[in-house]
Amino acid sequence: MERVKAVILAAGKGSRLQCEKDEIPKALRMVGGKTLIEHVLSGIDFVKPEDITIVIGVMGQKIRDYLGEKYHYAWQKEQHGTAHAMLCAEETASGFDGPVLCLYCDMPLLSRATYARMVEEHLATGAKNTLLAARIHPIPAFGRLIRDENGELCDIVEQSACTEEQKLIDEVNVGIQVMQGDVMWDVLKKVENNNPKKEYYLTGVVKVIHDLGMKNHAVVTADTPEYWGVNTMEELERVEEYLKKNG
């Protein structure tokens, strides 16, 4: 595989995981004998450590102290959404025209095969942005993939903003993306914050790419535990049980 860079978003508070109470950053919550972020790093072992930037914020120094200096770190001092968090990594991850994996620290079950497939399809299709999606039933409260009349991916609409018709769409966004480095940073700066929270979301990249006449691609798979995120103690326990049973 050709050279790949990665940016892992790990600046969240982890409030529902009681992280602040326990004085531990979300990325360092343990599950299956490893921290959440160590599971993610294991899944992208085809990316060299010097090509990985970890975006840190709340209790971020603890993450840096734990993982050491073989990775790059970028600080998100104020939280204004996931696209804003990604832009915080521009200094260390820019200057590279190839594929950049955009990841979250709280998805510990995603496999190396899935990450590699995303990069491979991204390169094979010539897309500027590739996202991971799934067909899940019953349809969860995830963002829906919107396609134009030609079947091209043109937007992602969050559940809260969906029309009744859009709520029936069963292609949903899982969250992981691969962006091409030659356009990534300019595209991120064009993402708008037209939402109630006035935050800049990474999903906004899809519309920007389409409106600029460039290609989005979706790797669409069936439902799988790989897509389980960890945002609550209940979700952490579910992943722990899954790992006990499946190794």
Side-chain angles (χ1 to χ4, degrees), residues 13 16 29 45 91 99 146 162 168-169 187 211 243:
K13 293 180 179 179
R16 289 180 289 168
R29 271 289 181 201
D45 63 2
E91 183 176 342
I146 308 299
C162 281
L168 300 177
I169 296 171
V187 166
D211 289 351
L243 288 171

Side-chain angles (χ1 to χ4, degrees), residues 20-206:
E20 289 174 305
K21 184 187 78 171
D22 294 338
E23 296 185 342
I24 183 172
K26 181 179 185 179
L28 297 187
R29 271 289 181 201
M30 299 292 293
V31 63
K34 293 196 294 188
T35 62
L36 288 172
I37 197 166
E38 284 176 310
H39 283 286
V40 175
L41 289 165
S42 294
I44 58 167
D45 63 2
F46 54 87
V47 184
K48 295 178 180 178
E50 60 265 30
D51 284 332
I52 296 174
T53 296
I54 301 170
V55 180
I56 53 179
V58 178
M59 292 180 279
Q61 190 59 46
K62 290 188 176 183
I63 298 173
R64 189 167 189 161
D65 292 343
Y66 184 86
L67 294 176
E69 295 302 317
K70 59 183 175 180
Y71 307 107
H72 295 287
Y73 296 91
W75 284 90
Q76 186 186 26
K77 298 293 187 181
E78 298 180 2
Q79 296 191 345
H80 298 297
T82 48
H84 170 258
M86 196 61 61
L87 272 171
C88 293
E90 183 176 11
E91 183 176 342
T92 57
S94 62
F96 171 68
D97 289 345
V100 181
L101 271 162
C102 304
L103 317 176
Y104 296 90
C105 74
D106 56 7
M107 299 183 73
L109 299 181
L110 271 166
S111 67
R112 185 186 196 279
T114 297
Y115 287 126
R117 178 185 171 188
M118 285 193 68
V119 174
E120 288 162 3
E121 287 198 25
H122 175 80
L123 294 170
T125 59
K128 293 298 185 181
N129 178 55
T130 296
L131 60 85
L132 184 60
R135 294 188 185 277
I136 303 175
H137 293 274
I139 304 171
F142 292 178
R144 305 305 201 275
L145 273 62
I146 308 299
R147 296 183 181 272
D148 63 18
E149 60 276 8
N150 298 315
E152 295 293 327
L153 180 59
C154 62
D155 201 1
I156 293 178
V157 177
E158 297 303 323
Q159 163 96 356
S160 58
C162 281
T163 64
E164 290 306 310
E165 184 178 8
Q166 288 171 336
K167 286 180 181 177
L168 300 177
I169 296 171
D170 68 349
E171 276 188 317
V172 298
N173 177 46
V174 173
I176 306 302
Q177 294 183 212
V178 183
M179 297 184 67
Q180 201 65 16
D182 60 349
V183 302
M184 175 176 177
W185 308 105
D186 287 339
V187 166
L188 284 167
K189 290 167 187 173
K190 289 181 169 66
V191 171
E192 298 180 349
N193 63 341
N194 300 325
N195 57 75
K197 291 187 177 180
K198 293 299 178 184
E199 292 189 344
Y200 299 90
Y201 296 131
L202 193 53
T203 50
V205 160
V206 173

